[in-house]
Amino acid sequence: MLLQEDLCKICMEQGVSIAVAESCTSGINASKITSISGSSSYFKGGIIAYQNEIKTKLLGVSEALIDNNTEVSAEVVSQMAKSVKKSFFVDY
C-alpha cells in the first residue's frame, strides 16, 4: 500500500484534516495526497514556499531563524508546519 493511501485511511477513520507547507518538494506531497480519490474530505490545501520571502511573509518564519539554521532546517520546517496548520484550520 502506498503511503498516501495509508494517510487517506487514517484521516478518514479518525476524521481529521490536513494541509501541507512545502518548499524543496515543490508540491509533490500535495500532488500525491490529492491523487487518492476522496482526499478532498480531509485535505484542505497547502502552500509551496519555495523562496524564503514566501516563508517569511506568508508563513511567518523569521528571517533570523532561516539565517541561523538554513531554510531547510528542522526549526524552519517546524515553523512552516505550525503556521500552515493555523492558517488552514486543520488538525495536522
Side-chain angles (χ1 to χ4, degrees), residues 10-81:
I10 291 167
C11 288
M12 293 181 96
E13 285 176 353
Q14 296 184 7
V16 296
S17 58
I18 62 172
V20 296
E22 298 187 62
S23 181
C24 58
T25 54
S26 303
I28 196 166
N29 292 311
S31 178
K32 286 183 178 189
I33 291 167
T34 58
S35 71
I36 303 298
S37 180
S39 61
S40 62
S41 67
Y42 57 88
F43 182 70
K44 291 195 177 182
I47 294 176
I48 301 168
Y50 202 68
Q51 293 185 348
N52 289 344
E53 178 185 23
I54 302 305
K55 291 177 183 77
T56 58
K57 292 187 176 174
L58 291 182
L59 293 173
V61 177
S62 77
E63 288 182 28
L65 191 64
I66 293 171
D67 291 343
N68 293 331
N69 298 285
T70 79
E71 58 271 3
V72 294
S73 67
E75 294 84 1
V76 169
V77 170
S78 177
Q79 184 58 56
M80 289 172 61

